Amino acid sequence: MFKKSLLAVAAASMLTLTACGGTAGAGSAAGNSGDDKITMGFAQVGAESGWRTANTKSVQDSAKTAGVDLKFSDAQQKQENQIKAIRSYIQQKVDVIAFSPVVESGWDTVLKEAKTAKIPVILTDRAVDSSDKTLYKTFLGSDFVEEGKKAGDWLVKDSKAATDTVNIVEIQGTTGSAPANDRKEGFAEAIKADPKLKIVASQSGDFTRSGGKQVMEAFLKNNADIDVVFAHNDDEGLGAIEAIEAAGKVPGKDIKIITIDAVKDGMTALSNGKINYIVECSPMLGDQLMDLAKKVIAGESVPERVVTEETTFTQEQAKQVLASRPY
Ligand code: GYE
């Protein structure tokens, strides 16, 4: 089914080429590589987390299934590397560029270069703060504010019976990234509902396990009374667990932990009672990305925002689904 529709789109894109000579962002699927394969340049953030590994695999697998020739680069969480990769994709005249911007700001120049070269850009996973919405065709990914809200809503409910102040430490994601900015905002918004809930410290763990561990060690040193950790991703939460255990405390009991992602290691810790709640963020964006790319190249209209569907998991729910989680 999928293959068939891709063939149809590929054919449509060739028709577009014949009809309008590859102008107006129609791409040049047949022109560049000498066959009818679409070439996509994908500038990935890095390999910082379990989520990212699953996301990379999803994009690579889906490209294969869709018959898309994928050029892939890993920016090691550095914006300058991503910009270099995008410039090289422009030089190579790929048909479409997709990327997951490590931070939100500072993309206008390189996006304008892609636009001038008539190469369409698709944002996946993370947003940019450019005011010129014509610099990219669509943005596929999660609603991070909503994710932060879900995490905060759970804590509001869970803390109903508490009589004292609930001291929260927050381990933020990569500074300046859309998920760090938005999850922080959504969580803060939700916990406003209960004045007992107080964020006593907030620092970036760069979305990594080692970052989460380091930040948590410092938090434990400087704060005698921590009740809750809100980590912006599972990996940071898993790092925090190590720090909490090393300090002789019991994660999930002495200190409750809320994270976002729901990757295998996170879900395992949730089933084992070391994490208390996980908000899902799906990394499986590959199929939708390939589909959007085909449409964009064929000159079809696509929605400017495609939001990923996601759920949440308690410890009980995690036990039930753990075995069947694909990543
Ligand atoms: O939550 C985190 C990863 O951008 C949604 O990046 C993504 C985030 C994800 O490093 O684990």
Side-chain angles (χ1 to χ4, degrees):
M1 225 7 233
F2 188 51
K3 264 201 182 132
K4 248 192 205 161
S5 70
L6 292 183
L7 276 177
V9 181
S13 97
M14 289 174 70
L15 279 179
T16 313
L17 273 174
T18 328
C20 55
T23 54
S28 47
N32 293 328
S33 49
D35 58 31
D36 60 358
K37 258 196 166 184
I38 283 174
T39 304
M40 172 187 284
F42 188 91
Q44 182 60 292
V45 169
E48 73 281 5
S49 63
W51 190 99
R52 190 64 54 197
T53 308
N55 178 247
T56 291
K57 188 170 183 311
S58 167
V59 170
Q60 288 172 335
D61 288 352
S62 299
K64 219 179 246 171
T65 312
V68 168
D69 180 11
L70 185 72
K71 296 183 187 299
F72 182 90
S73 58
D74 171 340
Q76 298 180 320
Q77 297 237 71
K78 291 206 179 76
Q79 181 172 34
E80 66 206 74
N81 291 345
Q82 271 191 315
I83 291 175
K84 261 188 219 152
I86 293 169
R87 289 209 166 114
S88 120
Y89 295 146
I90 295 171
Q91 248 173 16
Q92 293 172 57
K93 296 190 168 57
V94 298
D95 299 307
V96 57
I97 292 171
F99 82 115
S100 173
V102 58
V103 290
E104 284 193 89
S105 57
W107 297 103
D108 285 30
T109 306
V110 72
L111 289 178
K112 275 180 197 149
E113 289 167 20
K115 193 178 173 189
T116 305
K118 296 194 164 54
I119 300 176
V121 172
I122 299 177
L123 302 179
T124 71
D125 158 34
R126 296 186 184 178
V128 298
D129 65 2
S130 308
S131 53
D132 181 357
K133 306 288 178 224
T134 69
L135 293 178
Y136 54 90
K137 296 289 178 194
T138 178
F139 166 34
L140 162 68
S142 310
D143 182 338
F144 300 133
V145 176
E146 193 54 37
E147 290 173 350
K149 269 195 192 140
K150 287 178 185 168
D153 285 344
W154 180 82
L155 187 60
V156 169
K157 267 197 209 141
D158 188 69
S159 308
K160 267 234 163 83
T163 45
D164 291 342
T165 304
V166 176
N167 292 325
I168 306 161
V169 294
E170 178 181 36
I171 308 179
Q172 293 181 43
T174 300
T175 306
S177 69
N181 293 342
D182 294 355
R183 288 171 182 169
K184 182 174 181 51
E185 181 191 322
F187 184 78
E189 182 61 38
I191 63 167
K192 266 195 208 151
D194 185 346
K196 289 199 301 284
L197 304 181
K198 258 181 82 181
I199 299 179
V200 294
S202 181
Q203 245 182 61
S204 169
D206 212 15
F207 279 133
T208 64
R209 214 173 276 212
S210 60
K213 185 176 178 200
Q214 256 178 35
V215 168
M216 193 63 207
E217 281 165 357
F219 284 166
L220 285 162
K221 237 187 236 161
N222 301 327
N223 303 273
D225 184 16
I226 298 172
D227 300 303
V228 176
V229 174
F230 169 46
H232 285 191
N233 78 342
D234 286 353
D235 282 82
E236 290 175 335
L238 292 162
I241 289 174
E242 290 177 34
I244 292 168
E245 286 177 337
K249 298 195 170 179
V250 183
K253 297 220 160 58
D254 297 336
I255 298 178
K256 289 186 177 172
I257 303 178
I258 309 165
T259 66
I260 298 177
D261 273 355
V263 295
K264 213 23 147 279
D265 289 354
M267 291 293 275
T268 305
L270 182 61
S271 318
N272 295 338
K274 294 188 179 192
I275 292 179
N276 300 78
Y277 192 64
I278 298 185
V279 177
E280 185 185 43
C281 176
S282 174
M284 309 300 274
L285 304 177
D287 285 353
Q288 278 172 298
L289 173 61
M290 297 309 147
D291 209 36
L292 286 167
K294 300 269 182 179
K295 286 191 174 137
V296 162
I297 291 169
E300 289 174 35
S301 69
V302 292
E304 66 185 48
R305 178 78 172 97
V306 182
V307 183
T308 320
E309 273 183 38
E310 290 156 349
T311 183
T312 57
F313 297 102
T314 61
Q315 293 174 338
E316 278 317 306
Q317 288 165 333
K319 276 180 207 156
Q320 282 159 25
V321 301
L322 186 61
S324 61
R325 294 288 288 173
Y327 54 89

